[in-house]
Amino acid sequence: MDSKDAFQKILKSYERYYNVSVKNVDAPFAAEAVFKSHNEQYMLVKAAKIADIDSNEFVFFYISNENPEQNLTEVAQAAWARGLERITPYYGHRNTDITLILLSERFSEESFKLVKKLKFYKSYKFGLFGWSAFRALAYETSTGRAVTNRRGSDLKKLVSSL
């Protein structure tokens, strides 16, 4: 299986709950997926609102046929920056996760080590206005090996079926 086939299968799995866009996506990403959830809590009547709760996720897909080690940190920083641009922290913002999915035919061991070390986190007003966390997955399509950073361990389930 090559990177394009894996990309199509992963995109198909995201299309159910996310708004996926392949067109008009800024470089270096091949696609983006957005998930937004809004919930309200109120007591007896809607006028007595207790809380607004917003939870978001922005997923960025990066495909490379060669070893992307040279620009791996730049791609991760670009995904983090683009995700942070879209966040509006307020009293009802709970969290926003920013996810980067890297697909390539081959990754070097150094690239896998870099992915494991990727870590971005931001808290808004000491957590009262929510937080943002970064998750990353590197999937080597030739061998089926997947490596994630600490927060992205649940992403391995996504590619286990590939």
Side-chain angles (χ1 to χ4, degrees):
M1 175 184 311
D2 64 341
S3 298
K4 297 290 183 187
D5 293 337
F7 173 65
Q8 292 302 323
K9 286 186 177 184
I10 291 174
L11 267 187
K12 194 168 202 122
S13 68
Y14 271 95
E15 286 176 348
R16 185 171 207 162
Y17 298 106
Y18 291 71
N19 294 330
V20 177
S21 61
V22 181
K23 297 178 182 177
N24 301 327
V25 178
D26 295 333
F29 304 110
E32 293 180 7
V34 177
F35 174 80
K36 293 189 177 202
S37 172
H38 178 77
N39 191 9
E40 296 177 348
Q41 293 179 346
Y42 50 89
M43 183 169 300
L44 299 177
V45 293
K46 287 190 177 185
K49 188 185 298 187
I50 297 172
D52 279 335
I53 303 167
D54 282 332
S55 184
N56 310 308
E57 184 176 4
F58 301 106
V59 183
F60 298 95
F61 298 90
Y62 179 75
I63 302 172
S64 176
N65 289 332
E66 69 278 351
N67 183 13
E69 178 183 342
Q70 297 85 344
N71 59 355
L72 185 67
T73 54
E74 295 163 5
V75 169
Q77 289 172 348
W80 178 248
R82 286 194 193 158
L84 288 181
E85 289 172 357
R86 300 174 184 178
I87 298 171
T88 308
Y90 72 106
Y91 71 93
H93 175 254
R94 182 178 168 262
N95 72 311
T96 297
D97 290 332
I98 300 166
T99 304
L100 174 63
I101 296 179
L102 302 155
L103 300 171
S104 181
E105 297 291 327
R106 293 252 178 245
F107 282 103
S108 66
E109 286 301 317
E110 291 80 23
S111 295
F112 281 137
K113 287 178 185 176
L114 282 172
V115 169
K116 286 181 182 180
K117 291 181 182 179
L118 286 174
K119 180 181 175 185
F120 299 109
Y121 179 83
K122 185 169 182 164
S123 160
Y124 305 102
K125 294 197 179 183
F126 302 106
L128 295 174
F129 279 29
W131 64 89
S132 295
F134 185 76
R135 304 181 322 153
L137 166 77
Y139 182 67
E140 189 175 57
T141 57
S142 60
T143 62
R145 184 175 173 197
V147 173
T148 65
N149 65 348
R150 187 177 62 85
R151 291 194 182 266
S153 59
D154 60 328
L155 293 171
K156 282 190 179 181
K157 293 176 189 174
L158 175 70
V159 295
S160 64
S161 63
L162 295 177

